[in-house]
C-alpha cells in the first residue's frame, strides 16, 4: 500500500534561510533573536510535500534541486515543527537522515506571507488526515454492526391505501363534495326515471263553481214548479232568451231618448 501512494506538492517557496541554533536553555521555547539572523548558514528553496498521511519539509538547492535536508512530519503542531516565541517568520524543524539520526535547525523567511503559506499548508494537510481517520473509523464500526434484512420473506405481502378507493371489489366510490361551495347532487339510480305527477283535466263542476251566472229577474207569475226546474238545469237558466234581452235593453233606450215634456210611459220597472 505504501508503494501505491504518490507524493503531492503542498507548498513551494524559492527563498529560505537555514540557521544553526543553540540548545534550548529552558522549556519556554525558542527565540529567533538568539540566532545570527544576518548570517544564515545556508540559503536555498523549501518544498512541502505529502505522501499518505506524512508531510515532508525538504530543503533543496535553488539551481540543481539537490536535497540538502529533509524533515518528516507526522503531527502538527508537534515536535517536528515548532514556532519561535518572538517572531512569526521563523520556525524550528527536526531533520533526519536515512540512518535515523536527527538534529534541530532553524529556518526563516524574508517575506511574512511566505511564512504564512508554509504554516497553512501544514495545517490543511493534517486537517485532511484527521477527517480521513474519522471516516475510516466510522466505516469500520458500521461493518461490525449487524445488518438489517429489509427484503420480503416468502409469502409476505403489504397493503396500500390509495385515495378514496374501497378495499372491497365492486364497491362504489364516495361522491366528492364540490369545492366551489355549491350543492352536489347524487346521480340517479341505474335504470330509473324521474316521473312527473300528472295534471288533472279541468272538469265542468270546477268551471261552474268559478263562474257564477248573473241573477235573472223572474216575473211574478212564475210558479214554484218552474223555479225547481230552473235549479235542476242551471246551464239553461244562465242563457236568457233573445226576446227578453231585447225588451230589457229597449226600456233603457226608450228612457234615454225620451223628451222631458212628454209624459213618461208605463214600463215594467217598479218605482220605489
Amino acid at each position: 500500500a505504501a508503494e501505491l501512494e504518490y507524493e503531492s506538492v503542498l507548498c513551494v517557496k524559492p527563498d529560505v534561510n537555514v540557521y544553526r541554533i543553540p540548545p534550548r536553555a529552558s522549556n519556554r521555547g525558542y527565540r529567533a533573536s538568539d540566532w545570527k539572523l544576518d548570517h544564515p548558514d545556508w540559503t536555498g528553496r523549501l518544498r512541502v510535500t505529502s505522501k499518505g498521511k506524512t508531510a515532508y519539509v525538504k530543503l533543496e538547492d535553488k539551481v540543481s534541486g539537490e536535497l540538502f535536508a529533509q524533515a518528516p512530519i507526522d503531527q502538527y503542531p508537534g515536535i517536528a515543527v515548532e514556532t519561535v516565541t518572538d517572531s512569526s517568520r521563523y520556525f524550528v524543524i527536526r531533520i533526519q537522515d536515512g540512518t535515523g539520526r536527527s538534529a534541530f535547525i532553524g529556518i526563516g523567511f524574508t517575506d511574512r506571507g511566505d511564512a504564512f503559506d508554509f504554516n497553512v499548508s501544514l495545517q490543511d494537510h493534517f486537517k485532511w488526515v484527521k477527517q480521513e481517520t474519522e471516516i475510516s473509523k466510522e466505516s469500520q464500526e458500521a461493518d461490525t454492526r449487524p445488518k438489517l434484512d429489509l427484503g420480503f420473506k416468502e409469502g409476505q405481502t403489504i397493503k396500500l391505501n390509495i385515495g378514496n378507493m374501497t378495499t372491497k371489489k365492486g364497491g362504489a366510490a364516495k361522491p366528492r363534495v364540490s369545492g366551489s361551495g355549491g350543492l352536489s347532487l347524487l346521480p340517479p339510480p341505474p335504470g330509473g326515471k324521474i316521473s312527473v305527477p300528472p295534471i288533472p283535466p279541468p272538469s265542468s263542476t270546477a268551471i261552474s263553481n268559478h263562474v257564477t251566472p248573473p241573477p235573472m229577474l223572474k216575473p211574478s207569475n212564475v210558479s214554484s214548479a218552474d223555479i225547481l226546474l230552473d235549479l235542476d238545469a242551471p246551464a239553461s237558466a244562465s242563457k236568457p232568451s233573445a226576446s227578453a234581452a231585447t225588451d230589457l235593453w229597449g226600456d233603457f233606450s226608450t228612457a234615454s231618448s225620451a223628451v222631458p215634456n212628454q209624459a213618461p210611459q208605463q214600463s215594467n220597472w217598479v218605482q220605489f
Side-chain angles (χ1 to χ4, degrees):
E3 294 178 357
L4 297 177
E5 293 178 351
Y6 60 92
E7 185 178 18
S8 60
V9 178
L10 303 180
C11 179
V12 176
K13 294 301 175 182
D15 293 321
V16 62
N17 298 323
V18 177
Y19 304 92
R20 291 182 180 181
I21 60 176
R24 184 186 312 190
S26 62
N27 295 330
R28 291 181 302 177
Y30 294 96
R31 293 174 57 89
S33 58
D34 297 337
W35 308 344
K36 297 177 182 181
L37 300 179
D38 297 336
H39 303 281
D41 296 302
W42 184 84
T43 303
R45 179 181 66 187
L46 180 140
R47 191 159 59 98
V48 181
T49 62
S50 66
K51 188 174 183 180
K53 295 181 179 181
T54 305
Y56 297 90
V57 177
K58 295 183 178 182
L59 302 175
E60 300 172 346
D61 187 81
K62 293 182 179 180
V63 179
S64 62
E66 183 181 359
L67 181 63
F68 172 75
Q70 175 177 277
I73 304 170
D74 54 1
Q75 184 180 359
Y76 183 77
I79 194 174
V81 177
E82 298 182 40
T83 59
V84 297
T85 57
D86 56 349
S87 178
S88 61
R89 295 187 292 116
Y90 298 92
F91 302 86
V92 176
I93 63 174
R94 185 184 61 181
I95 60 175
Q96 292 180 351
D97 58 4
T99 61
R101 295 181 301 177
S102 62
F104 291 92
I105 61 174
I107 60 174
F109 301 93
T110 306
D111 190 359
R112 195 176 301 274
D114 294 341
F116 177 81
D117 295 341
F118 170 74
N119 189 17
V120 169
S121 63
L122 293 176
Q123 289 179 354
D124 291 343
H125 171 73
F126 286 100
K127 185 183 296 184
W128 170 81
V129 170
K130 183 179 180 180
Q131 293 177 353
E132 288 292 323
T133 305
E134 293 177 354
I135 292 173
S136 61
K137 185 178 179 180
E138 291 178 358
S139 61
Q140 291 177 0
E141 292 178 355
D143 294 338
T144 57
R145 296 173 186 173
K147 297 182 180 180
L148 297 177
D149 186 8
L150 301 179
F152 284 98
K153 304 298 186 295
E154 184 178 358
Q156 185 179 2
T157 58
I158 60 174
K159 293 182 180 180
L160 297 177
N161 295 328
I162 303 175
N164 295 328
M165 297 179 62
T166 56
T167 56
K168 296 182 179 179
K169 295 182 178 180
K174 297 181 181 180
R176 297 182 179 179
V177 181
S178 60
S180 61
L183 297 177
S184 59
L185 301 178
L186 295 176
K193 297 181 179 180
I194 301 175
S195 59
V196 181
I199 301 174
S203 59
S204 60
T205 307
I207 296 175
S208 62
N209 292 335
H210 290 283
V211 180
T212 305
M216 300 299 297
L217 296 176
K218 297 293 183 179
S220 60
N221 57 356
V222 178
S223 61
S224 61
D226 296 334
I227 294 172
L228 293 176
L229 292 175
D230 292 339
L231 293 174
D232 294 337
S236 62
S238 62
K239 296 180 180 180
S241 61
S243 61
T246 305
D247 295 337
L248 290 175
W249 292 108
D251 294 339
F252 281 105
S253 61
T254 305
S256 61
S257 61
V259 181
N261 57 4
Q262 293 181 0
Q265 297 180 2
Q266 187 178 0
S267 64
N268 294 331
W269 292 90
V270 180
Q271 297 180 358
F272 293 96

